[in-house]
Amino acid sequence: MPDQRIVYCYEMYSGSERMSVSVATVEFWPAGDGTKLTYTEQAVFLDGIDKPEARHEGTEWLLDNLGKYLAAQTAS
């Protein structure tokens, strides 16, 4: 949906071994003077190489750092 939603698919590999396949959705909503981001991921984890807990932790770290970066940009 233009200006509101991004949907994409991706695969993750460790070397030549496929670890997982995902469909992710990123949605943007007006929130006061800013924007709220909602991230949803549906993943299939293959052969025990990756685990949902590790993916959650990594995604949370990435989104937290994106938030810090954007906050610093708006503060300057």
Side-chain angles (χ1 to χ4, degrees), residues 3-68:
D3 301 324
Q4 187 175 344
R5 184 179 305 135
I6 300 168
V7 179
Y8 62 96
C9 303
Y10 70 96
E11 299 174 321
M12 287 185 70
Y13 287 81
S14 176
S16 63
E17 293 185 67
R18 187 167 51 180
M19 299 175 5
S20 63
V21 178
S22 295
V23 175
T25 304
V26 185
E27 296 176 277
F28 303 93
W29 306 98
D33 291 337
T35 303
K36 179 179 178 182
L37 181 151
T38 302
Y39 179 85
T40 305
E41 182 173 350
Q42 298 168 322
V44 176
F45 297 94
L46 308 167
D47 300 329
I49 299 171
D50 195 5
K51 303 239 184 301
E53 299 83 9
R55 181 67 54 82
H56 181 268
E57 183 179 314
T59 302
E60 187 173 61
W61 181 86
L62 288 169
L63 291 174
D64 285 348
N65 280 290
L66 174 61
K68 290 174 188 175

